[in-house]
Amino acid sequence: MGVIVSTTNRYQKCIDACARCAQACYECFKACLNEPDVQARTKCIEHLAECARMCEMATSMMSSESMHAKEFCGLCAVMCEGCAAECAKFKDDHCTRCADVCSTCAQECRTMSGM
């Protein structure tokens, strides 16, 4: 349910998924920086940072009922799918869990965007 108004209710499930995904990506980003094979994770770390920022942007677009919210959700789905695929290449717990959260967010964003 919207925090202040009920008009964002139609977006709430996606807003929650995006907020959770951004948090997971930032947490995984930090964890990847501390892995001994950090050099091998460069692409993953880039995906994590971009995905987190896109999820934050999609959340703000939906919360303000932007006329372009659906387009942001479509792009967010693409970016979350890419991040999930990159994280899935690493078998540690934080990347595996992040890949799952990103996949869930991608599904919610696809539903929201109508794609």
Side-chain angles (χ1 to χ4, degrees), residues 1-108:
M1 176 164 198
V3 175
I4 297 174
V5 297
S6 61
T7 55
T8 58
N9 286 353
R10 63 188 165 126
Y11 296 116
Q12 197 60 52
K13 193 171 179 183
C14 193
I15 289 170
D16 293 343
C18 285
R20 182 172 170 80
C21 189
Q23 180 179 351
C25 287
Y26 283 128
E27 289 175 4
C28 192
F29 177 95
K30 177 67 175 173
C32 282
L33 289 176
N34 292 317
E35 291 292 341
D37 63 343
V38 67
Q39 287 301 111
R41 295 170 183 261
T42 303
K43 189 173 180 184
C44 185
I45 290 168
E46 290 172 0
H47 275 271
L48 289 163
E50 290 180 9
C51 185
R53 289 192 305 263
M54 187 65 218
C55 285
E56 290 171 333
M57 182 65 78
T59 297
S60 67
M61 292 292 116
M62 288 182 283
S63 295
S64 65
E65 296 185 272
S66 167
M67 67 179 88
H68 298 289
K70 289 185 178 191
E71 291 88 353
F72 272 89
C73 288
L75 181 55
C76 191
V78 170
M79 293 177 76
C80 286
E81 288 165 353
C83 192
E86 194 60 36
C87 279
K89 294 177 182 178
F90 300 95
K91 301 306 174 199
D92 47 69
D93 187 52
H94 60 87
C95 278
T96 301
R97 291 173 64 194
C98 189
D100 290 343
V101 172
C102 286
S103 293
T104 299
C105 187
Q107 291 170 354
E108 288 299 328

